[in-house]
Amino acid sequence: MNESLNSVNEPFSPDGETIASASDDNRVKLWNRNGQLSQTLQGHSNSVNGVAFSPDGETIASASDDNRVKLWNRNGQLLQTLQGHSNSVNGVAFSPDSETIASTRQQGEAVESQFG
């Protein structure tokens, strides 16, 4: 495997059964506890810099160099694409109620998005 893995904010699903990784290959990968790849989420057009599970475990958010945050369900279906950053998005995190996302970029810009 010749790809670079990037940071993750909440890499474990709340039930502890799934681990998410962000990668320079423009994908998010979901792994089971035994280290086996269970799913690949594709849709970003540039490196994925961060990924987080929502506290309720229903949604996965990914942050990318394509200036977007994407929201996915646990089955890998793209739910929504959030735009608002003017540059690469480096991190993403959910609020405790899973209804709001905070995303950041390296230069300090922050965007709050509500969904649901």
Side-chain angles (χ1 to χ4, degrees):
M1 176 166 53
N2 233 6
E3 62 190 63
S4 173
L5 295 179
N6 297 320
S7 69
V8 291
N9 296 345
E10 294 295 331
F12 293 94
S13 61
D15 63 9
E17 295 298 318
T18 305
I19 302 165
S21 64
S23 179
D24 282 342
D25 70 357
N26 308 351
R27 298 180 178 123
V28 173
K29 294 186 179 173
L30 304 179
W31 310 84
N32 67 24
R33 288 177 56 137
N34 297 323
Q36 295 173 315
L37 181 64
S38 60
Q39 196 154 15
T40 300
L41 311 182
Q42 300 182 75
H44 283 289
S45 61
N46 211 324
S47 297
V48 179
N49 299 316
V51 64
F53 279 93
S54 61
D56 66 9
E58 297 300 315
T59 308
I60 301 162
S62 55
S64 174
D65 279 344
D66 66 9
N67 307 353
R68 291 170 173 77
V69 171
K70 291 190 180 282
L71 304 177
W72 315 83
N73 68 18
R74 286 290 295 264
N75 296 321
Q77 177 184 13
L78 180 63
L79 301 173
Q80 192 171 355
T81 299
L82 306 176
Q83 300 180 49
H85 284 282
S86 59
N87 210 325
S88 298
V89 187
N90 290 328
V92 64
F94 283 89
S95 62
D97 66 3
S98 299
E99 295 295 319
T100 304
I101 296 173
S103 54
T104 61
R105 68 181 183 112
Q106 191 171 22
Q107 289 79 7
E109 176 184 75
V111 174
E112 180 182 322
S113 303
Q114 297 236 335
F115 72 98

